Amino acid sequence: MKIKSVFLMAIFSVTANKLRTFLTLLGIVIGVAAVISLMSIGRGTQQAITAQIESLGTDLLFVSPKTGANLTLADADLIASDPRSDFLVAPQISAPASITFRGEETSAVVNGVTGAYGSVRNLEIGSGHFISPAHVKNRNEVVVLGYQVAKDIFDERLPINEYVSINGRRFNVIGVLEEKGGGARFGSEDGQIFVPLTTAYYRLTSERTTQGEISVSTINVQSISNSDLVDKTVEDPKEYISDILRFSHRTVEDDFSVTNLQDVINTLNEATAALVVLLGSIAGISLFVGGIGIMNIMLVSVTERTREIGIRKALGAKKRDILGQFITEAVLISVTGGVIGASFGAFISYSINRLRLFGPDFETVITADIAILALTVAGVIGLFFGIYPAARAAKLNPIDALRYE
Amino acid sequence: MVLNDRLDRLVGETSNMISLQNVTKTYQIGPSLIKALNNVNLSIEAGEMVAVMGPSGSGKSTLMNIVGCLDVPTAGTYLLKDRKVEELSENELADIRSTNIGFIFQTYNLLPRLTALANVELPLLYDGSKNTKTRALEALEKVGIDDRKNHKPSELSGGQQQRVGIARALVKNPSIILADEPTGNLDSKTGIEIMGILQDLNKNSRITVVVVTHEEEIANYNDRVITFRDGSIVSDKPVSDKILISDKYLSNRAANNEN
Ligand SMILES: Nc1ncnc2c1ncn2[C@@H]1O[C@H](COP(=O)(O)OP(=O)(O)OP(=O)(O)O)[C@@H](O)[C@H]1O
Ligand SMILES: [Mg+2]
């Protein structure tokens, strides 16, 4: 039988019972739309996180202490003062803090940093200026606000030279950062505040090392510094920094870890890829339910059309003709549902962006592979759930089928 | 005249179209075994037009199913154009039905949602034929119902539906047309018209025709009447005064023209 006639026949049969076909279709439409919109949200998250991290520059490394161990300001100085390399080093202490301005309280992450932090993390100053070495030296109680924090506290007013209270101490606002984007929930600087490292250590946190040295939470290291000293570029900065610290710490096992940004991106990508798959699978369940709907309706259809099957067989239809006819009908329903569902899912995804449902910085991402995947799965589901009813139809004995009332 | 007609045909073709040798068909229903056909021996030559009669349950439809390759005998041999049907696979049986057999049913068995034309086109779709629409239309013209080609079965009278059924049976130029009580649901005038079409196909397209009927009158439009009882043939004799409708109609028409 010609493909064209098979196809036309399937369209004819499927459109015969419009309401029924529509309802069956709906199951697939909802399933595919759910797969596409959820996966596009997942992909959007993935992209936002990656973009956020990459904005820091991929030549950034983080040194952090293992649990129970300490990193100190001395370690940071050691790396910075290494004669054979030219690292830009920015130690950092981070802690949650509550900020009060005229009785209104907000919370933010407070970072104790040095002047180098701004250039290492690519921070742009919007107004005022960043922490200076003098601030660090004098343990000044000054603060630089992230964009979102400043906006939350001061609205449109200029915060410079105002005083805010951090954990009960008065700090002078000396600067506000440019908007970084990416949303505060992904660890963007927009939701953070910055004070001199020494101030943070002595005034805001209570941790003390046994040796009386200043301990830090992270040492940020930019491996390629701004200088043009070609002979001071290091082949494997991760290993190089580890060696410096091993030599100084003299422990059997490393009590610190060095992570470069690419590692972080890779780890997060794995995690978010799993998230995308998870979201897709949850939506896939509704697709599966849609498939069961197709099977159900095809079984009803085969029973209703028993006599038709008998007639077709008497007229010379082979088993495979009947099999093909019913499978084509099932796949036609599922693929049509897939196409409608894909458009619908794309529309939902577009609306999320248009209406800024998940904030101004979040964009869903629909890639061709998501659409192709959803359509293929829809087709396969039609095939899978269509085979059994079609086989039942093809197996019918023509005489019994002709006698069927 | 009837005799001459039969002699003509016998001279041209002597081979058996249909040959059943000791054919038995049994059905097991619970503990009891029903012999729907019991040791039937029967030959039908190419070009014959045969009536099959007998009381209800005597095995007429069972015979038609076996002759039409919808079913195979439990025992015995069925030769269709000298091919042993019981040795064929399901696909080969479908092929034979497709190329050699045209079925006509008492209840017409048209697909209700298809137009007359699409119903007639259906057998052509299963063998990849070309010009299916044209050929289907020709078949409808042959039975004089082409003016209703776009009507659904529900928009046609019983007689018209049966004409469409005949068009569907003849559209592939089969060797055999099997009609199981084709006039059973029709009034006698319409029934005779249907028999006229079958006679025309038998005579002019040289199609072998087997008609199951309960009516003595309908049987008389055939060359030969075979009677069944309890799955066996109890009589098999030629019709001595076969009625030829086409002639009658021709003479009627001639008479009309003269007036
Ligand atoms: N599929 C079947 N299963 C069981 N028994 C059957 C089957 N088909 C036919 N029979 C039996 O075989 C016998 C012959 O049936 P068949 O249909 O050939 O009769 P028939 O001569 O065509 O009768 P009618 O004039 O009523 O159509 C009957 O006793 C019937 O009950
Ligand atoms: Mg019968």
Side-chain angles (χ1 to χ4, degrees):
Chain A
M1 206 171 172
K2 286 188 206 142
I3 304 281
K4 191 183 150 201
S5 352
V6 175
F7 193 66
L8 289 178
M9 214 144 78
I11 292 183
F12 191 80
S13 302
V14 159
T15 49
N17 206 325
K18 291 200 178 56
L19 179 63
R20 187 202 276 182
T21 303
F22 171 74
L23 292 175
T24 314
L25 209 67
L26 210 56
I28 298 294
V29 168
I30 292 171
V32 170
V35 168
I36 292 212
S37 47
L38 281 181
M39 284 184 85
S40 78
I41 292 170
R43 283 279 168 89
T45 311
Q46 200 172 17
Q47 203 185 54
I49 292 173
T50 310
Q52 177 66 35
I53 294 167
E54 275 173 353
S55 73
L56 298 173
T58 42
D59 52 357
L60 196 61
L61 296 106
F62 308 106
V63 187
S64 43
K66 293 233 169 105
T67 21
N70 275 308
L71 272 181
T72 62
L73 206 52
D75 291 321
D77 289 338
L78 204 60
I79 299 167
S81 60
D82 177 69
R84 286 174 296 126
S85 60
D86 192 21
F87 292 122
L88 204 55
V89 179
Q92 171 184 5
I93 298 174
S94 299
S98 76
I99 310 158
T100 320
F101 177 70
R102 293 187 187 159
E104 273 186 58
E105 189 175 313
T106 45
S107 57
V109 172
V110 61
N111 296 295
V113 297
T114 59
Y117 188 88
S119 44
V120 169
R121 299 291 285 252
N122 297 336
L123 299 183
E124 303 280 344
I125 275 288
S127 57
H129 47 88
F130 200 65
I131 313 286
S132 73
H135 291 138
V136 177
K137 188 159 171 274
N138 303 329
R139 301 178 193 175
N140 289 131
E141 297 189 336
V142 293
V143 63
V144 175
L145 303 177
Y147 177 83
Q148 194 60 46
V149 179
K151 208 171 164 190
D152 286 349
I153 298 177
F154 294 98
D155 286 328
E156 302 301 318
R157 280 167 292 164
L158 195 68
I160 306 293
N161 277 330
E162 294 282 356
Y163 283 87
V164 293
S165 149
I166 302 173
N167 290 358
R169 301 185 84 93
R170 267 163 61 86
F171 277 72
N172 188 9
V173 179
I174 56 164
V176 176
L177 297 182
E178 284 274 14
E179 182 171 15
K180 187 99 180 200
R185 78 179 73 82
F186 301 123
S188 158
E189 279 88 351
D190 290 352
Q192 305 183 3
I193 61 174
F194 302 88
V195 300
L197 184 82
T198 45
T199 319
Y201 185 74
Y202 291 110
R203 307 269 187 264
L204 295 178
T205 67
S206 49
E207 289 170 53
R208 297 286 179 270
T209 60
T210 43
Q211 290 88 359
E213 287 174 283
I214 295 180
S215 69
V216 298
S217 355
T218 311
I219 303 171
N220 301 277
V221 183
Q222 194 175 329
S223 59
I224 301 157
S225 75
N226 299 330
S227 79
D228 296 324
L229 301 170
V230 184
D231 55 321
K232 287 198 173 180
T233 40
V234 169
E235 270 299 316
D236 183 356
K238 206 168 138 179
E239 201 48 39
Y240 192 90
I241 292 167
S242 300
D243 280 342
I244 296 177
L245 293 177
R246 276 178 205 133
F247 190 75
S248 140
H249 288 200
R250 300 188 182 281
T251 49
V252 183
E253 262 179 60
D254 288 353
D255 55 355
F256 59 89
S257 62
V258 184
T259 324
N260 67 27
L261 210 48
Q262 198 53 53
D263 295 341
V264 177
I265 290 173
N266 292 346
T267 315
L268 278 173
N269 267 346
E270 271 169 36
T272 48
L275 172 81
V276 171
V277 171
L278 181 75
L279 287 176
S281 312
I282 290 170
I285 292 171
S286 61
L287 206 50
F288 191 80
V289 174
I292 294 173
I294 289 187
M295 182 152 161
N296 192 14
I297 225 61
M298 289 310 291
L299 284 172
V300 171
S301 173
V302 168
T303 307
E304 280 178 353
R305 286 154 70 191
T306 301
R307 204 180 173 84
E308 173 190 329
I309 294 160
I311 295 168
R312 287 178 186 273
K313 283 200 162 181
L315 298 180
K318 296 196 171 77
K319 252 185 170 175
R320 61 161 184 267
D321 293 318
I322 304 295
L323 192 75
Q325 180 185 346
F326 282 91
I327 288 183
T328 307
E329 286 178 21
V331 172
L332 183 70
I333 292 178
S334 69
V335 169
T336 309
V339 171
I340 298 174
S343 327
F344 195 52
F347 176 74
I348 293 174
S349 177
Y350 169 80
S351 305
I352 288 174
N353 293 344
R354 195 61 204 269
L355 303 173
R356 299 254 166 259
L357 276 185
F358 296 147
D361 301 314
F362 186 81
E363 290 261 311
T364 59
V365 178
I366 291 195
T367 48
D369 63 327
I370 294 180
I372 290 168
L373 178 83
L375 285 181
T376 312
V377 170
V380 168
I381 277 190
L383 199 64
F384 180 79
F385 287 102
I387 279 180
Y388 175 70
R392 276 223 340 208
K395 238 181 22 206
L396 284 175
N397 172 317
I399 300 166
D400 295 340
L402 277 169
R403 286 162 161 251
Y404 186 86
E405 289 304 326
Chain B
M1 150 124 217
V2 174
L3 204 64
N4 281 348
D5 203 295
R6 281 207 60 190
L7 278 176
D8 278 355
R9 219 168 286 166
L10 287 174
V11 171
E13 295 152 4
T14 49
S15 72
N16 284 336
M17 176 63 77
I18 293 163
S19 169
L20 280 76
Q21 295 157 11
N22 303 317
V23 164
T24 297
K25 180 76 193 181
T26 52
Y27 290 107
Q28 181 86 47
I29 294 191
S32 55
L33 207 64
I34 294 170
K35 282 201 170 179
L37 288 180
N38 189 5
N39 222 16
V40 171
N41 284 287
L42 170 66
S43 290
I44 296 173
E45 288 160 17
E48 268 194 292
M49 181 154 177
V50 180
V52 176
M53 298 192 72
S56 186
S58 57
K60 306 179 296 291
S61 295
T62 307
L63 175 81
M64 295 296 260
N65 288 340
I66 288 177
V67 171
C69 298
L70 281 171
D71 206 351
V72 286
T74 316
T77 299
Y78 168 33
L79 295 170
L80 172 69
K81 288 184 174 174
D82 300 325
R83 283 182 82 181
K84 276 195 177 179
V85 168
E86 64 268 24
E87 289 175 355
L88 302 177
S89 72
E90 216 173 304
N91 268 346
E92 288 169 320
L93 289 176
D95 269 332
I96 291 201
R97 291 199 293 270
S98 171
T99 50
N100 288 298
I101 315 276
F103 285 100
I104 299 170
F105 305 91
Q106 178 176 2
T107 52
Y108 325 124
N109 272 340
L110 302 175
L111 296 191
R113 293 191 317 102
L114 298 185
T115 62
L117 187 70
N119 262 292
V120 176
E121 202 184 350
L122 206 53
L124 298 171
L125 298 181
Y126 286 114
D127 69 347
S129 298
K130 291 202 163 56
N131 305 323
T132 53
K133 284 242 155 36
T134 326
R135 285 177 62 185
L137 195 60
E138 279 166 12
L140 283 172
E141 276 164 12
K142 222 172 194 171
V143 297
I145 191 87
D146 48 312
D147 54 332
R148 297 300 173 95
K149 65 178 162 70
N150 291 327
H151 288 232
K152 300 250 175 81
S154 59
E155 297 156 359
L156 297 172
S157 74
Q160 289 168 330
Q161 287 189 61
Q162 195 57 294
R163 279 167 193 259
V164 176
I166 296 174
R168 184 178 68 185
L170 68 84
V171 71
K172 293 196 62 183
N173 300 316
S175 330
I176 307 170
I177 282 185
L178 300 173
D180 197 344
E181 302 190 38
T183 64
N185 284 9
L186 303 173
D187 63 47
S188 59
K189 181 176 165 288
T190 318
I192 290 166
E193 279 173 22
I194 295 299
M195 288 312 290
I197 297 170
L198 290 179
Q199 280 190 351
D200 173 54
L201 292 172
N202 175 246
K203 195 177 170 197
N204 299 320
S205 306
R206 309 205 58 75
I207 297 174
T208 309
V209 176
V210 183
V211 181
V212 171
T213 181
H214 279 295
E215 300 158 75
E216 202 73 48
E217 146 131 51
I218 294 293
N220 285 332
Y221 292 92
N222 297 276
D223 302 325
R224 176 181 166 194
V225 179
I226 301 167
T227 310
F228 275 79
R229 180 160 293 128
D230 296 333
S232 302
I233 298 177
V234 289
S235 91
D236 181 351
K237 48 189 179 216
V239 177
S240 47
D241 47 354
K242 180 186 180 187
I243 314 169
L244 281 175
I245 309 167
S246 34
D247 288 4
K248 199 165 94 184
Y249 273 177
L250 280 178
S251 56
N252 273 354
R253 240 181 254 165
N256 285 342
N257 284 349
E258 273 164 27
N259 290 344

